[in-house]
Amino acid sequence: MSTTRARKPTVRASASLLAGQPRRVSGHVEVENAGRDDVLLRTVEVSGAALGPDAAGGAGTVPVMSRLPAGRSARVPVRLRLDPCTPPGRHEVEVVVGGARTTAVVEVAAHPRARISPAELAVRGAPGTTVTARVVVANLGNVPVPLDRLGAVTVEERGGVCRSLEGALRAEGEHGHRAVLDEAVRRIARTRVDRMRVRAAEPAAIEPGATRAVDLELHLPPDMAAGRTYSGLLRLVGAALLVEVTAEGVAADEAPEPVAPAPSRPRTRRAAPRPRP
């Protein structure tokens, strides 16, 4: 009595280039079935230091569930989610598919990303002065977040456009729309102020995965109108901080008008008495 031994399928896998940002790495692996039987490909296992601690939770396991006929080859798509702090550059990983092992190269792109807390900031100060406010910056990307060039913020007066249009209608409404628009543009232009300069008291960069409290120095525009409120957006590698500044003092159109002194009456000189005859 003869016994026929089943042939073990022979699967070969070739290295492939996987590329993308840490959370969106994609590519494919070439798989060849050199045996005589069909092979059921269930998963593609990827392992390596580039996967980071998330690999323990199955981040390197890609479900496939496809049948590869004997003597055929196929491209198996692979999509990975790496550790978000994986530094940019080339990383080598091991790929296991259908029992075959090979190596692949993961090309990780730079992914700058930050989060600022709180998302809104309200400060008060006199025009031309410097005020300090503290925020918390978290580096959620894979490259350092620079703090040495925060730059300047364009600020706009809150309600300035509406107030300018209303004033133009009151002043020029009876003279037609062109006169109203010209007056509105003149009034809106008067609400414009210089940009607010912003710098970090400690400008050292924040490394990937780190969180730090940052003191911001806000140099308020000197031409702000006292009593008015201005707002603008400070942007930092994908994050935005809404800054609202109230200029301390009394607005020019709300200040009491100076009372003009009463005009003095001219002094009349008395006529000298006439001598009696």
Side-chain angles (χ1 to χ4, degrees):
M1 182 176 178
S2 61
T3 303
T4 303
R5 181 177 298 178
R7 293 186 178 89
K8 186 178 181 180
T10 303
V11 178
R12 300 169 184 168
S14 58
S16 176
L17 176 65
L18 311 177
Q21 295 177 347
R23 291 299 191 182
R24 299 176 183 177
V25 175
S26 61
H28 64 270
V29 175
E30 295 281 352
V31 182
E32 178 188 0
N33 183 1
R36 298 182 181 180
D37 301 318
D38 294 353
V39 175
L40 180 61
L41 303 178
R42 298 180 182 275
T43 60
V44 176
E45 301 285 343
V46 184
S47 61
L51 297 181
D54 287 347
T61 301
V62 182
V64 178
M65 292 302 294
S66 65
R67 185 172 297 277
L68 182 61
R72 301 290 296 272
S73 61
R75 283 188 171 187
V76 179
V78 178
R79 293 178 176 85
L80 297 175
R81 289 171 60 87
L82 305 183
D83 186 289
C85 297
T86 303
R90 286 177 168 255
H91 305 268
E92 189 174 278
V93 295
E94 184 181 54
V95 179
V96 180
V97 54
R101 293 178 179 270
T102 185
T103 57
V105 174
V106 176
E107 182 74 41
V108 180
H111 182 48
R113 186 185 173 197
R115 182 181 63 226
I116 305 177
S117 302
E120 299 181 5
L121 194 65
V123 298
R124 303 179 65 90
T129 61
T130 300
V131 297
T132 303
R134 172 165 291 188
V135 296
V136 176
V137 180
N139 187 348
L140 307 180
N142 62 349
V143 292
V145 172
L147 296 178
D148 58 344
R149 50 180 184 274
L150 296 180
V153 176
T154 300
V155 293
E156 297 179 350
E157 181 184 332
R158 187 173 65 186
V161 174
C162 293
R163 187 164 44 251
S164 299
L165 291 174
E166 183 183 359
L169 284 171
R170 287 200 308 266
E172 301 292 340
E174 60 184 16
H175 298 122
H177 68 279
R178 290 189 177 181
V180 172
L181 291 177
D182 289 342
E183 179 63 19
V185 170
R186 284 192 292 267
R187 290 173 179 253
I188 293 173
R190 289 200 294 267
T191 67
R192 178 189 173 276
V193 296
D194 294 338
R195 292 191 295 175
M196 177 176 62
R197 293 180 291 113
V198 183
R199 66 180 297 272
E202 177 52 57
I206 302 177
E207 296 301 318
T211 301
R212 197 173 81 214
V214 178
D215 289 327
L216 299 178
E217 296 179 354
L218 310 174
H219 301 269
L220 307 186
D223 52 353
M224 290 192 309
R228 301 292 190 197
T229 299
Y230 300 81
S231 62
L233 281 178
L234 171 65
R235 302 188 182 276
L236 179 65
V237 291
L241 173 66
L242 176 62
V243 182
E244 188 176 82
V245 181
T246 300
E248 292 183 335
V250 180
D253 57 357
E254 296 176 0
E257 296 183 0
V259 179
S264 57
R265 295 181 179 180
R267 298 180 63 181
T268 56
R269 302 179 64 181
R270 289 186 177 182
R274 294 181 180 181
R276 294 179 179 181

Short mmCIF file of all heavy atoms in Angstrom, two decimals, residues 9-11 26 28 32 39-40 52 55 110 112 117 124 143 146 166-167 177 188 197 211 217 233 243 256-257 265 276:
data_model
loop_
_atom_site.label_atom_id
_atom_site.label_comp_id
_atom_site.label_asym_id
_atom_site.label_seq_id
_atom_site.Cartn_x
_atom_site.Cartn_y
_atom_site.Cartn_z
N PRO A 9 2.93 23.81 -0.34
CA PRO A 9 2.96 24.95 -1.27
C PRO A 9 4.22 25.78 -1.08
O PRO A 9 4.70 25.96 0.04
CB PRO A 9 1.71 25.75 -0.91
CG PRO A 9 0.89 24.86 -0.07
CD PRO A 9 1.80 23.88 0.58
N THR A 10 4.74 26.28 -2.17
CA THR A 10 5.93 27.12 -2.13
C THR A 10 5.53 28.54 -2.48
O THR A 10 5.07 28.79 -3.61
CB THR A 10 6.99 26.62 -3.11
OG1 THR A 10 7.29 25.27 -2.80
CG2 THR A 10 8.25 27.44 -3.01
N VAL A 11 5.67 29.44 -1.53
CA VAL A 11 5.31 30.84 -1.74
C VAL A 11 6.56 31.69 -1.62
O VAL A 11 7.37 31.50 -0.70
CB VAL A 11 4.26 31.32 -0.70
CG1 VAL A 11 3.92 32.79 -0.90
CG2 VAL A 11 3.01 30.47 -0.82
N SER A 26 1.46 53.08 2.83
CA SER A 26 0.85 52.13 1.92
C SER A 26 1.85 51.68 0.87
O SER A 26 2.88 52.31 0.64
CB SER A 26 -0.39 52.73 1.24
OG SER A 26 -0.03 53.87 0.47
N HIS A 28 2.74 47.73 -1.65
CA HIS A 28 2.33 46.38 -1.99
C HIS A 28 3.52 45.43 -1.86
O HIS A 28 4.67 45.85 -1.82
CB HIS A 28 1.74 46.31 -3.41
CG HIS A 28 2.76 46.65 -4.46
ND1 HIS A 28 2.97 47.93 -4.92
CD2 HIS A 28 3.64 45.86 -5.15
CE1 HIS A 28 3.91 47.92 -5.83
NE2 HIS A 28 4.33 46.68 -6.00
N GLU A 32 4.43 35.22 -5.06
CA GLU A 32 4.40 34.22 -6.14
C GLU A 32 4.16 32.84 -5.55
O GLU A 32 4.83 32.44 -4.59
CB GLU A 32 5.72 34.22 -6.91
CG GLU A 32 5.78 33.18 -8.01
CD GLU A 32 7.15 33.07 -8.63
OE1 GLU A 32 8.06 33.82 -8.19
OE2 GLU A 32 7.33 32.24 -9.53
N VAL A 39 -3.02 28.60 -2.77
CA VAL A 39 -2.64 29.06 -1.43
C VAL A 39 -3.65 30.12 -0.99
O VAL A 39 -3.97 31.05 -1.76
CB VAL A 39 -1.21 29.64 -1.41
CG1 VAL A 39 -0.89 30.23 -0.05
CG2 VAL A 39 -0.20 28.57 -1.78
N LEU A 40 -4.12 29.99 0.23
CA LEU A 40 -5.00 31.00 0.81
C LEU A 40 -4.17 31.98 1.63
O LEU A 40 -3.56 31.61 2.64
CB LEU A 40 -6.06 30.35 1.70
CG LEU A 40 -7.05 31.31 2.36
CD1 LEU A 40 -7.85 32.08 1.32
CD2 LEU A 40 -7.97 30.56 3.33
N GLY A 52 6.92 50.61 16.26
CA GLY A 52 6.78 51.14 17.60
C GLY A 52 5.91 50.26 18.48
O GLY A 52 5.61 49.11 18.15
N ALA A 55 2.65 48.01 17.44
CA ALA A 55 2.69 46.72 16.77
C ALA A 55 2.12 45.62 17.65
O ALA A 55 1.55 44.64 17.16
CB ALA A 55 4.13 46.37 16.38
N ALA A 110 7.91 63.26 6.49
CA ALA A 110 7.78 64.18 7.63
C ALA A 110 6.31 64.56 7.80
O ALA A 110 5.59 64.81 6.83
CB ALA A 110 8.62 65.42 7.41
N PRO A 112 4.66 67.19 10.30
CA PRO A 112 4.58 68.15 11.41
C PRO A 112 3.14 68.37 11.84
O PRO A 112 2.26 68.64 11.02
CB PRO A 112 5.19 69.42 10.80
CG PRO A 112 4.97 69.29 9.34
CD PRO A 112 5.02 67.82 9.03
N SER A 117 -3.41 74.18 23.54
CA SER A 117 -4.48 74.25 24.53
C SER A 117 -4.23 75.44 25.46
O SER A 117 -3.11 75.61 25.94
CB SER A 117 -4.55 72.95 25.33
OG SER A 117 -4.75 71.85 24.47
N ARG A 124 -5.73 91.38 27.89
CA ARG A 124 -5.99 92.82 27.95
C ARG A 124 -4.65 93.53 28.11
O ARG A 124 -3.73 93.01 28.75
CB ARG A 124 -6.92 93.18 29.10
CG ARG A 124 -8.26 92.48 29.08
CD ARG A 124 -9.10 92.88 30.27
NE ARG A 124 -9.44 94.31 30.21
CZ ARG A 124 -10.53 94.77 29.61
NH1 ARG A 124 -11.37 93.94 29.02
NH2 ARG A 124 -10.78 96.06 29.60
N VAL A 143 8.40 65.31 13.69
CA VAL A 143 9.52 66.24 13.58
C VAL A 143 9.37 67.29 14.67
O VAL A 143 8.25 67.55 15.15
CB VAL A 143 9.56 66.92 12.19
CG1 VAL A 143 9.92 65.91 11.10
CG2 VAL A 143 8.23 67.58 11.87
N PRO A 146 9.09 73.96 15.89
CA PRO A 146 9.90 75.14 16.20
C PRO A 146 9.09 76.22 16.88
O PRO A 146 7.92 76.45 16.53
CB PRO A 146 10.40 75.59 14.82
CG PRO A 146 9.32 75.13 13.88
CD PRO A 146 8.75 73.87 14.46
N GLU A 166 -22.46 101.11 9.09
CA GLU A 166 -23.56 101.84 9.72
C GLU A 166 -23.28 103.34 9.75
O GLU A 166 -24.15 104.17 9.46
CB GLU A 166 -23.78 101.31 11.13
CG GLU A 166 -24.95 101.96 11.85
CD GLU A 166 -25.09 101.45 13.28
OE1 GLU A 166 -24.29 100.59 13.68
OE2 GLU A 166 -26.00 101.94 13.98
N GLY A 167 -22.04 103.69 10.10
CA GLY A 167 -21.69 105.10 10.13
C GLY A 167 -21.74 105.74 8.75
O GLY A 167 -22.15 106.90 8.59
N HIS A 177 -25.41 105.40 -3.38
CA HIS A 177 -24.61 104.26 -2.93
C HIS A 177 -23.12 104.49 -3.11
O HIS A 177 -22.31 103.97 -2.34
CB HIS A 177 -25.04 103.00 -3.68
CG HIS A 177 -24.71 103.01 -5.15
ND1 HIS A 177 -25.48 103.66 -6.08
CD2 HIS A 177 -23.67 102.45 -5.82
CE1 HIS A 177 -24.95 103.50 -7.27
NE2 HIS A 177 -23.86 102.77 -7.16
N ILE A 188 -13.50 101.90 7.24
CA ILE A 188 -12.88 100.58 7.47
C ILE A 188 -11.37 100.70 7.50
O ILE A 188 -10.69 100.04 8.30
CB ILE A 188 -13.35 99.59 6.38
CG1 ILE A 188 -14.84 99.29 6.54
CG2 ILE A 188 -12.54 98.30 6.45
CD1 ILE A 188 -15.41 98.44 5.41
N ARG A 197 3.03 91.21 17.07
CA ARG A 197 4.21 90.34 17.06
C ARG A 197 4.16 89.38 18.24
O ARG A 197 3.83 89.77 19.36
CB ARG A 197 5.49 91.17 17.08
CG ARG A 197 5.71 91.98 15.80
CD ARG A 197 6.98 92.80 15.84
NE ARG A 197 6.90 93.88 16.80
CZ ARG A 197 7.62 93.96 17.91
NH1 ARG A 197 8.47 92.99 18.20
NH2 ARG A 197 7.48 94.98 18.72
N THR A 211 5.13 67.32 25.35
CA THR A 211 4.15 68.37 25.64
C THR A 211 4.80 69.35 26.60
O THR A 211 5.44 68.95 27.57
CB THR A 211 2.88 67.79 26.25
OG1 THR A 211 2.30 66.85 25.34
CG2 THR A 211 1.86 68.87 26.55
N GLU A 217 4.83 85.84 24.48
CA GLU A 217 4.94 87.29 24.66
C GLU A 217 4.24 87.96 23.48
O GLU A 217 4.67 87.83 22.33
CB GLU A 217 6.40 87.71 24.75
CG GLU A 217 7.12 87.14 25.97
CD GLU A 217 8.57 87.53 26.02
OE1 GLU A 217 9.05 88.17 25.05
OE2 GLU A 217 9.24 87.22 27.03
N LEU A 233 -5.58 85.00 14.36
CA LEU A 233 -5.21 83.60 14.49
C LEU A 233 -3.69 83.44 14.47
O LEU A 233 -3.03 83.92 13.55
CB LEU A 233 -5.82 82.76 13.37
CG LEU A 233 -7.29 82.38 13.49
CD1 LEU A 233 -7.73 81.60 12.25
CD2 LEU A 233 -7.55 81.56 14.74
N VAL A 243 -6.54 84.47 19.23
CA VAL A 243 -6.11 85.44 20.23
C VAL A 243 -7.05 86.65 20.17
O VAL A 243 -7.23 87.25 19.10
CB VAL A 243 -4.66 85.89 20.00
CG1 VAL A 243 -4.22 86.86 21.09
CG2 VAL A 243 -3.73 84.68 19.96
N PRO A 256 -16.03 111.30 26.86
CA PRO A 256 -16.83 112.54 26.94
C PRO A 256 -16.11 113.67 26.22
O PRO A 256 -14.90 113.83 26.31
CB PRO A 256 -16.92 112.80 28.45
CG PRO A 256 -15.77 112.05 29.05
CD PRO A 256 -15.56 110.86 28.18
N GLU A 257 -16.90 114.43 25.44
CA GLU A 257 -16.31 115.54 24.71
C GLU A 257 -15.95 116.66 25.68
O GLU A 257 -16.68 116.96 26.62
CB GLU A 257 -17.30 116.06 23.67
CG GLU A 257 -17.63 115.02 22.59
CD GLU A 257 -18.54 115.60 21.54
OE1 GLU A 257 -18.90 116.80 21.68
OE2 GLU A 257 -18.89 114.88 20.59
N ARG A 265 -17.07 137.91 28.51
CA ARG A 265 -17.62 139.16 27.97
C ARG A 265 -16.56 140.26 28.04
O ARG A 265 -15.82 140.35 29.02
CB ARG A 265 -18.84 139.58 28.78
CG ARG A 265 -19.99 138.59 28.66
CD ARG A 265 -21.17 139.08 29.46
NE ARG A 265 -22.30 138.19 29.35
CZ ARG A 265 -23.45 138.40 29.97
NH1 ARG A 265 -23.62 139.49 30.74
NH2 ARG A 265 -24.43 137.54 29.80
N ARG A 276 -19.54 169.21 37.28
CA ARG A 276 -20.71 170.05 37.43
C ARG A 276 -20.34 171.50 37.10
O ARG A 276 -19.29 171.98 37.48
CB ARG A 276 -21.26 169.96 38.84
CG ARG A 276 -21.81 168.60 39.18
CD ARG A 276 -22.32 168.58 40.60
NE ARG A 276 -22.88 167.28 40.93
CZ ARG A 276 -23.43 167.00 42.10
NH1 ARG A 276 -23.50 167.96 43.04
NH2 ARG A 276 -23.90 165.80 42.32
#
